[in-house]
Amino acid sequence: MQFIDLAAQYQHLKNKIDARIHKVLDHGHYIMGPEVFELEEKLAEYVGVKHAITCANGTDALTLAMMALDIKEGDAVFCPTFTFFATAETIAFASATPVFVDSDEYTFNICPIDLEKRIQHVIAEGKLVPKAIVSVDLFGLPANYPEIEKIAEKYNLKLIEDAAQGFGGSINNKKAGSFGDIATTSFFPAKPLGCYGDGGAIFTNNDEYAELIKSYRVHGKGTDKYDNVRVGVNSRLDTIQAAILLEKLAAFDEELVARNIAAESYYKELPEYLIKPIVPASYTSSWAQYTVRSTNREQVMTGYSEKNIPTMIYYRTCMHQQTAFKYLDYNEGDFPIAEKLSKEVFSLPMHGYL
Protein backbone atom coordinates (compact mmCIF):
# COMPACT_ATOMS: atom_id res chain seq x y z
CA MET A 1 0.00 0.00 0.00
CA GLN A 2 1.28 3.48 -0.90
CA PHE A 3 0.98 6.56 1.34
CA ILE A 4 0.45 8.65 -1.83
CA ASP A 5 0.12 6.52 -4.97
CA LEU A 6 1.63 8.63 -7.76
CA ALA A 7 2.08 5.52 -9.92
CA ALA A 8 -1.67 4.78 -9.89
CA GLN A 9 -2.41 8.37 -10.88
CA TYR A 10 0.12 8.21 -13.71
CA GLN A 11 -1.36 4.98 -15.08
CA HIS A 12 -4.80 6.62 -15.10
CA LEU A 13 -3.52 9.72 -16.97
CA LYS A 14 -0.59 8.12 -18.81
CA ASN A 15 -1.64 8.64 -22.44
CA LYS A 16 -2.59 12.29 -21.90
CA ILE A 17 0.52 13.13 -19.85
CA ASP A 18 2.84 11.35 -22.31
CA ALA A 19 1.26 13.22 -25.25
CA ARG A 20 1.72 16.55 -23.47
CA ILE A 21 5.38 15.82 -22.67
CA HIS A 22 6.09 14.76 -26.28
CA LYS A 23 4.54 17.98 -27.55
CA VAL A 24 7.08 19.93 -25.46
CA LEU A 25 9.92 17.70 -26.72
CA ASP A 26 8.77 18.43 -30.28
CA HIS A 27 8.63 22.23 -29.94
CA GLY A 28 11.70 22.47 -27.67
CA HIS A 29 10.67 25.54 -25.64
CA TYR A 30 11.73 24.08 -22.29
CA ILE A 31 11.82 27.33 -20.31
CA MET A 32 8.72 29.59 -20.26
CA GLY A 33 7.19 27.68 -23.17
CA PRO A 34 3.53 28.05 -24.24
CA GLU A 35 2.30 25.44 -21.75
CA VAL A 36 3.49 27.64 -18.86
CA PHE A 37 1.22 30.50 -19.95
CA GLU A 38 -1.66 28.14 -20.73
CA LEU A 39 -1.33 26.69 -17.23
CA GLU A 40 -1.26 30.17 -15.64
CA GLU A 41 -4.52 31.07 -17.40
CA LYS A 42 -6.20 27.85 -16.29
CA LEU A 43 -4.94 28.15 -12.70
CA ALA A 44 -6.26 31.73 -12.44
CA GLU A 45 -9.61 30.60 -13.80
CA TYR A 46 -9.77 27.60 -11.45
CA VAL A 47 -8.91 29.61 -8.32
CA GLY A 48 -11.00 32.62 -9.36
CA VAL A 49 -8.34 35.34 -9.37
CA LYS A 50 -7.00 37.77 -11.99
CA HIS A 51 -3.40 36.58 -11.92
CA ALA A 52 -1.61 33.24 -11.48
CA ILE A 53 2.17 33.40 -11.85
CA THR A 54 4.10 30.12 -11.82
CA CYS A 55 7.57 29.70 -10.35
CA ALA A 56 10.17 27.03 -9.54
CA ASN A 57 8.76 25.76 -6.21
CA GLY A 58 6.44 26.56 -3.31
CA THR A 59 9.21 28.07 -1.18
CA ASP A 60 10.12 30.49 -3.97
CA ALA A 61 6.43 31.37 -4.25
CA LEU A 62 6.52 32.57 -0.63
CA THR A 63 9.85 34.35 -1.18
CA LEU A 64 8.43 36.18 -4.22
CA ALA A 65 5.38 37.17 -2.18
CA MET A 66 7.69 38.64 0.51
CA MET A 67 9.58 40.57 -2.18
CA ALA A 68 6.39 41.95 -3.74
CA LEU A 69 5.14 43.13 -0.33
CA ASP A 70 8.54 44.69 0.50
CA ILE A 71 8.93 42.69 3.71
CA LYS A 72 12.28 43.52 5.25
CA GLU A 73 14.43 43.86 8.37
CA GLY A 74 12.51 45.30 11.31
CA ASP A 75 9.17 43.89 10.13
CA ALA A 76 7.16 41.39 12.17
CA VAL A 77 5.41 38.69 10.15
CA PHE A 78 2.96 36.46 12.02
CA CYS A 79 2.69 32.78 11.11
CA PRO A 80 1.71 29.47 12.74
CA THR A 81 4.32 27.56 14.69
CA PHE A 82 2.73 24.24 13.64
CA THR A 83 3.66 24.17 9.95
CA PHE A 84 6.37 23.22 7.47
CA PHE A 85 9.69 25.06 7.85
CA ALA A 86 9.36 27.05 4.59
CA THR A 87 6.50 29.15 6.00
CA ALA A 88 8.78 30.71 8.61
CA GLU A 89 12.06 30.28 6.70
CA THR A 90 10.99 32.66 3.93
CA ILE A 91 10.13 35.35 6.51
CA ALA A 92 13.62 35.06 8.04
CA PHE A 93 15.17 34.90 4.55
CA ALA A 94 13.59 38.32 3.87
CA SER A 95 15.45 39.53 7.03
CA ALA A 96 12.11 40.03 8.82
CA THR A 97 11.21 38.47 12.19
CA PRO A 98 8.79 35.53 12.32
CA VAL A 99 6.32 35.89 15.19
CA PHE A 100 4.79 32.50 15.89
CA VAL A 101 1.13 31.86 16.66
CA ASP A 102 -0.59 28.90 18.35
CA SER A 103 -3.00 26.54 16.59
CA ASP A 104 -6.69 25.79 16.70
CA GLU A 105 -6.91 22.36 18.33
CA TYR A 106 -9.61 21.03 15.99
CA THR A 107 -8.68 22.40 12.56
CA PHE A 108 -4.86 22.45 13.17
CA ASN A 109 -4.77 25.88 11.51
CA ILE A 110 -3.61 29.24 12.93
CA CYS A 111 -5.76 30.36 15.89
CA PRO A 112 -7.30 33.82 15.23
CA ILE A 113 -7.65 34.53 18.97
CA ASP A 114 -3.95 33.86 19.65
CA LEU A 115 -3.02 35.73 16.45
CA GLU A 116 -4.64 38.94 17.70
CA LYS A 117 -2.93 38.58 21.10
CA ARG A 118 0.49 38.20 19.43
CA ILE A 119 -0.14 41.25 17.23
CA GLN A 120 -1.14 43.34 20.26
CA HIS A 121 1.99 42.17 22.13
CA VAL A 122 4.30 43.22 19.26
CA ILE A 123 2.59 46.64 19.06
CA ALA A 124 2.88 47.13 22.84
CA GLU A 125 6.56 46.10 22.82
CA GLY A 126 7.34 48.59 20.04
CA LYS A 127 10.51 46.90 18.75
CA LEU A 128 9.16 45.61 15.41
CA VAL A 129 6.77 46.96 12.79
CA PRO A 130 3.79 44.58 12.33
CA LYS A 131 3.72 44.04 8.57
CA ALA A 132 1.97 40.83 7.48
CA ILE A 133 0.30 37.55 8.38
CA VAL A 134 1.11 34.25 6.68
CA SER A 135 -1.71 31.80 7.27
CA VAL A 136 -1.36 28.15 6.24
CA ASP A 137 -4.08 25.84 4.86
CA LEU A 138 -2.76 22.86 6.79
CA PHE A 139 -3.45 19.31 5.56
CA GLY A 140 -5.83 20.66 2.86
CA LEU A 141 -8.23 22.71 5.01
CA PRO A 142 -8.33 26.48 4.41
CA ALA A 143 -7.55 28.56 7.50
CA ASN A 144 -10.28 30.68 9.14
CA TYR A 145 -10.13 33.52 6.60
CA PRO A 146 -13.42 35.19 7.66
CA GLU A 147 -11.73 35.95 11.02
CA ILE A 148 -8.12 36.33 9.82
CA GLU A 149 -9.10 38.87 7.14
CA LYS A 150 -10.91 40.97 9.77
CA ILE A 151 -7.78 40.96 11.96
CA ALA A 152 -5.53 41.88 9.00
CA GLU A 153 -7.81 44.81 8.17
CA LYS A 154 -8.08 45.95 11.80
CA TYR A 155 -4.28 46.17 12.21
CA ASN A 156 -3.52 47.21 8.61
CA LEU A 157 -1.52 44.05 7.87
CA LYS A 158 -0.94 42.35 4.54
CA LEU A 159 -2.20 38.76 4.34
CA ILE A 160 -0.42 35.93 2.52
CA GLU A 161 -2.29 32.64 2.12
CA ASP A 162 0.13 29.70 2.13
CA ALA A 163 -2.02 27.25 0.17
CA ALA A 164 0.77 24.74 -0.50
CA GLN A 165 -1.44 22.01 0.99
CA GLY A 166 -4.79 23.73 0.56
CA PHE A 167 -5.13 23.92 -3.24
CA GLY A 168 -8.61 22.62 -4.07
CA GLY A 169 -10.12 23.46 -0.67
CA SER A 170 -12.73 26.19 -0.26
CA ILE A 171 -14.84 28.32 2.11
CA ASN A 172 -18.38 29.10 0.91
CA ASN A 173 -17.31 27.97 -2.59
CA LYS A 174 -14.44 30.51 -2.61
CA LYS A 175 -11.31 28.57 -3.52
CA ALA A 176 -8.08 28.30 -1.58
CA GLY A 177 -5.56 30.53 -3.33
CA SER A 178 -8.03 33.42 -3.57
CA PHE A 179 -7.74 34.71 0.02
CA GLY A 180 -5.59 37.58 1.27
CA ASP A 181 -3.46 40.00 -0.75
CA ILE A 182 -1.31 37.24 -2.24
CA ALA A 183 -1.62 33.45 -2.07
CA THR A 184 0.99 30.82 -2.86
CA THR A 185 0.97 27.11 -3.61
CA SER A 186 3.36 24.24 -4.25
CA PHE A 187 3.32 21.59 -6.98
CA PHE A 188 5.69 19.27 -5.14
CA PRO A 189 4.73 15.72 -6.24
CA ALA A 190 3.02 14.83 -2.93
CA LYS A 191 0.73 17.90 -2.95
CA PRO A 192 -2.95 17.59 -4.00
CA LEU A 193 -1.99 19.04 -7.41
CA GLY A 194 1.60 17.92 -7.93
CA CYS A 195 4.02 17.75 -10.85
CA TYR A 196 6.94 15.36 -11.47
CA GLY A 197 9.58 17.62 -10.00
CA ASP A 198 9.33 20.96 -8.24
CA GLY A 199 6.97 23.81 -9.02
CA GLY A 200 4.92 26.56 -7.45
CA ALA A 201 2.55 29.43 -8.15
CA ILE A 202 1.46 32.80 -6.78
CA PHE A 203 -2.12 34.11 -6.99
CA THR A 204 -3.33 37.70 -6.66
CA ASN A 205 -5.99 40.14 -7.83
CA ASN A 206 -3.54 43.03 -7.48
CA ASP A 207 -2.12 44.13 -10.85
CA GLU A 208 0.91 45.84 -9.30
CA TYR A 209 1.91 42.77 -7.27
CA ALA A 210 1.47 40.56 -10.35
CA GLU A 211 3.79 42.71 -12.45
CA LEU A 212 6.41 42.83 -9.68
CA ILE A 213 6.33 39.03 -9.24
CA LYS A 214 6.61 38.45 -13.01
CA SER A 215 9.71 40.66 -12.98
CA TYR A 216 11.24 39.24 -9.79
CA ARG A 217 10.95 35.62 -10.96
CA VAL A 218 13.16 36.36 -14.00
CA HIS A 219 16.10 38.25 -12.45
CA GLY A 220 14.07 41.47 -12.02
CA LYS A 221 13.82 42.03 -15.75
CA GLY A 222 12.03 45.02 -17.27
CA THR A 223 10.30 45.20 -20.66
CA ASP A 224 13.65 44.47 -22.34
CA LYS A 225 15.11 41.04 -21.56
CA TYR A 226 18.54 42.61 -21.01
CA ASP A 227 17.38 45.56 -18.88
CA ASN A 228 17.06 44.39 -15.30
CA VAL A 229 15.15 47.10 -13.43
CA ARG A 230 15.40 45.46 -9.98
CA VAL A 231 17.33 42.65 -8.29
CA GLY A 232 15.32 39.46 -8.59
CA VAL A 233 15.77 35.70 -8.58
CA ASN A 234 15.72 32.87 -11.10
CA SER A 235 12.48 31.00 -10.41
CA ARG A 236 10.69 29.72 -13.49
CA LEU A 237 8.47 26.67 -13.87
CA ASP A 238 9.85 24.23 -16.47
CA THR A 239 7.61 23.79 -19.50
CA ILE A 240 7.51 19.99 -19.10
CA GLN A 241 6.19 20.39 -15.54
CA ALA A 242 3.55 22.84 -16.79
CA ALA A 243 2.50 20.29 -19.44
CA ILE A 244 2.11 17.58 -16.78
CA LEU A 245 0.14 19.94 -14.51
CA LEU A 246 -2.28 20.83 -17.32
CA GLU A 247 -3.42 17.20 -17.54
CA LYS A 248 -3.45 16.77 -13.78
CA LEU A 249 -5.53 19.95 -13.38
CA ALA A 250 -8.06 18.61 -15.89
CA ALA A 251 -8.55 15.52 -13.68
CA PHE A 252 -8.23 17.38 -10.38
CA ASP A 253 -11.91 17.84 -9.49
CA GLU A 254 -12.57 14.14 -10.08
CA GLU A 255 -9.68 13.28 -7.74
CA LEU A 256 -10.98 15.74 -5.11
CA VAL A 257 -14.30 13.88 -5.05
CA ALA A 258 -12.43 10.60 -4.53
CA ARG A 259 -10.31 12.12 -1.73
CA ASN A 260 -13.43 13.36 0.05
CA ILE A 261 -15.13 9.95 -0.28
CA ALA A 262 -12.02 8.35 1.25
CA ALA A 263 -12.05 10.93 4.07
CA GLU A 264 -15.74 10.18 4.78
CA SER A 265 -14.93 6.45 4.96
CA TYR A 266 -12.08 7.14 7.39
CA TYR A 267 -14.36 9.29 9.54
CA LYS A 268 -17.05 6.59 9.73
CA GLU A 269 -14.85 3.53 10.11
CA LEU A 270 -11.74 4.49 12.08
CA PRO A 271 -11.83 3.48 15.77
CA GLU A 272 -13.16 5.85 18.42
CA TYR A 273 -9.79 6.08 20.20
CA LEU A 274 -8.44 8.16 17.29
CA ILE A 275 -9.36 11.86 17.25
CA LYS A 276 -10.43 12.52 13.66
CA PRO A 277 -10.07 15.83 11.78
CA ILE A 278 -13.11 18.06 11.39
CA VAL A 279 -14.20 20.19 8.45
CA PRO A 280 -16.29 23.18 9.62
CA ALA A 281 -19.63 23.91 7.94
CA SER A 282 -19.25 25.70 4.55
CA TYR A 283 -15.58 24.53 4.27
CA THR A 284 -14.20 21.83 1.98
CA SER A 285 -10.78 20.21 2.34
CA SER A 286 -8.54 18.92 -0.43
CA TRP A 287 -7.17 16.39 2.08
CA ALA A 288 -3.49 16.88 1.34
CA GLN A 289 -3.14 14.58 4.34
CA TYR A 290 -5.69 12.73 6.45
CA THR A 291 -4.35 13.52 9.91
CA VAL A 292 -5.60 11.95 13.12
CA ARG A 293 -4.51 12.29 16.76
CA SER A 294 -3.64 9.76 19.43
CA THR A 295 -2.09 10.14 22.87
CA ASN A 296 -0.56 6.72 22.16
CA ARG A 297 0.80 7.61 18.73
CA GLU A 298 3.89 5.40 18.46
CA GLN A 299 2.02 2.24 19.46
CA VAL A 300 -0.87 2.95 17.06
CA MET A 301 1.54 3.65 14.18
CA THR A 302 3.41 0.40 14.93
CA GLY A 303 0.09 -1.45 14.69
CA TYR A 304 -0.52 0.00 11.22
CA SER A 305 3.05 -0.79 10.17
CA GLU A 306 2.55 -4.43 11.12
CA LYS A 307 -0.38 -4.50 8.66
CA ASN A 308 1.85 -2.88 5.96
CA ILE A 309 -0.10 0.39 6.15
CA PRO A 310 2.27 3.38 5.87
CA THR A 311 1.87 6.39 8.18
CA MET A 312 3.70 9.72 8.47
CA ILE A 313 4.10 12.45 11.06
CA TYR A 314 3.63 16.09 9.98
CA TYR A 315 5.03 17.95 12.02
CA ARG A 316 6.96 16.52 14.93
CA THR A 317 8.85 19.76 15.70
CA CYS A 318 7.14 23.16 15.83
CA MET A 319 8.83 26.25 14.39
CA HIS A 320 9.60 27.75 17.82
CA GLN A 321 11.46 24.51 18.69
CA GLN A 322 13.66 24.55 15.57
CA THR A 323 17.38 25.11 16.06
CA ALA A 324 17.37 27.79 13.35
CA PHE A 325 14.93 29.89 15.40
CA LYS A 326 16.66 29.56 18.79
CA TYR A 327 17.60 33.25 18.56
CA LEU A 328 13.91 34.18 18.99
CA ASP A 329 14.04 32.94 22.62
CA TYR A 330 10.78 31.03 22.73
CA ASN A 331 10.28 28.43 25.48
CA GLU A 332 8.51 25.09 25.88
CA GLY A 333 4.92 25.82 26.81
CA ASP A 334 4.67 29.10 24.87
CA PHE A 335 2.37 27.41 22.32
CA PRO A 336 0.52 24.69 24.28
CA ILE A 337 -1.93 23.59 21.58
CA ALA A 338 0.68 23.35 18.82
CA GLU A 339 3.07 21.48 21.13
CA LYS A 340 0.28 19.04 22.03
CA LEU A 341 -0.59 18.50 18.36
CA SER A 342 3.05 17.85 17.44
CA LYS A 343 3.13 15.02 19.99
CA GLU A 344 -0.17 13.43 18.89
CA VAL A 345 -0.72 13.82 15.12
CA PHE A 346 -0.01 11.28 12.40
CA SER A 347 -1.32 10.88 8.87
CA LEU A 348 -2.84 7.93 7.04
CA PRO A 349 -2.67 7.15 3.30
CA MET A 350 -4.60 9.67 1.18
CA HIS A 351 -4.81 10.19 -2.58
CA GLY A 352 -7.36 10.18 -5.40
CA TYR A 353 -6.86 6.47 -6.21
CA LEU A 354 -7.09 4.97 -2.73
Side-chain angles (χ1 to χ4, degrees):
M1 187 179 195
Q2 299 296 312
F3 186 74
I4 298 168
D5 198 338
L6 295 172
Q9 184 194 46
Y10 175 59
Q11 286 308 313
H12 184 71
L13 301 173
K14 184 179 190 309
N15 292 340
K16 290 177 179 177
I17 288 174
D18 288 358
R20 278 280 190 178
I21 291 171
H22 279 287
K23 191 175 175 185
V24 177
L25 295 175
D26 287 339
H27 69 56
H29 297 293
Y30 299 116
I31 305 292
M32 303 293 274
E35 286 81 1
V36 171
F37 301 103
E38 183 187 348
L39 176 66
E40 289 178 342
E41 280 181 28
K42 290 192 171 165
L43 286 170
E45 184 184 350
Y46 183 85
V47 169
V49 293
K50 281 172 75 175
H51 306 283
I53 304 115
T54 55
C55 62
N57 54 69
T59 304
D60 279 3
L62 283 167
T63 295
L64 288 161
M66 301 286 163
M67 293 168 83
L69 294 173
D70 191 30
I71 287 166
K72 57 191 181 298
E73 190 172 357
D75 291 339
V77 181
F78 303 86
C79 74
T81 187
F82 187 58
T83 185
F84 179 62
F85 189 67
T87 307
E89 177 188 33
T90 49
I91 297 166
F93 189 71
S95 300
T97 301
V99 179
F100 299 125
V101 180
D102 211 349
S103 305
D104 179 288
E105 186 167 0
Y106 301 102
T107 66
F108 308 134
N109 281 324
I110 193 169
C111 172
I113 296 164
D114 193 57
L115 170 63
E116 186 160 22
K117 284 181 190 166
R118 306 275 171 180
I119 293 167
Q120 289 170 345
H121 176 73
V122 168
I123 292 167
E125 203 172 44
K127 292 179 184 173
L128 299 167
V129 178
K131 186 70 170 281
I133 301 162
V134 182
S135 56
V136 180
D137 302 339
L138 208 63
F139 306 141
L141 182 72
N144 186 350
Y145 291 106
E147 291 304 314
I148 296 165
E149 285 178 338
K150 281 183 206 165
I151 292 167
E153 194 174 341
K154 181 176 175 181
Y155 295 97
N156 194 28
L157 301 174
K158 297 297 182 185
L159 176 56
I160 299 169
E161 176 190 4
D162 180 348
Q165 296 176 25
F167 189 86
S170 64
I171 305 174
N172 289 317
N173 297 316
K174 184 173 159 64
K175 292 277 192 192
S178 67
F179 297 99
D181 297 279
I182 296 177
T184 67
T185 200
S186 167
F187 301 127
F188 183 78
K191 295 294 189 282
L193 180 65
C195 57
Y196 292 157
D198 245 328
I202 303 106
F203 305 96
T204 186
N205 285 312
N206 185 299
D207 296 340
E208 185 187 343
Y209 294 156
E211 287 310 306
L212 275 171
I213 291 162
K214 285 175 187 175
S215 169
Y216 279 132
R217 73 168 165 179
V218 189
H219 302 289
K221 84 177 182 72
T223 49
D224 180 339
K225 178 181 177 180
Y226 294 107
D227 180 24
N228 299 79
V229 295
R230 53 185 63 85
V231 175
V233 295
N234 176 22
S235 186
R236 300 169 293 200
L237 182 69
D238 291 345
T239 309
I240 284 177
Q241 301 302 342
I244 292 160
L245 285 165
L246 280 163
E247 290 307 325
K248 288 200 177 191
L249 183 60
F252 187 61
D253 279 341
E254 185 186 312
E255 292 180 0
L256 272 184
V257 170
R259 283 172 177 266
N260 275 277
I261 289 168
E264 283 169 30
S265 297
Y266 273 144
Y267 190 81
K268 286 177 192 163
E269 307 213 13
L270 284 173
E272 291 298 316
Y273 60 76
L274 293 178
I275 301 170
K276 287 161 261 189
I278 64 154
V279 177
S282 77
Y283 285 63
T284 59
S285 177
S286 59
W287 298 110
Q289 280 85 35
Y290 191 88
T291 302
V292 295
R293 290 167 54 200
S294 171
T295 52
N296 197 16
R297 177 170 69 187
E298 302 307 322
Q299 189 178 333
V300 175
M301 288 175 69
T302 299
Y304 279 117
S305 178
E306 286 167 357
K307 294 180 173 70
N308 294 316
I309 297 166
T311 56
M312 297 274 284
I313 297 173
Y314 306 87
Y315 298 96
R316 196 188 290 270
T317 308
C318 293
M319 290 304 100
H320 69 282
Q321 299 164 322
Q322 300 277 348
T323 304
F325 293 126
K326 261 180 123 169
Y327 70 94
L328 295 172
D329 292 328
Y330 287 107
N331 298 306
E332 284 297 311
D334 283 348
F335 304 89
I337 303 299
E339 289 170 24
K340 182 181 179 186
L341 292 175
S342 70
K343 292 180 177 74
E344 295 182 357
V345 297
F346 70 96
S347 301
L348 294 165
M350 174 55 77
H351 53 85
Y353 302 86
L354 197 59

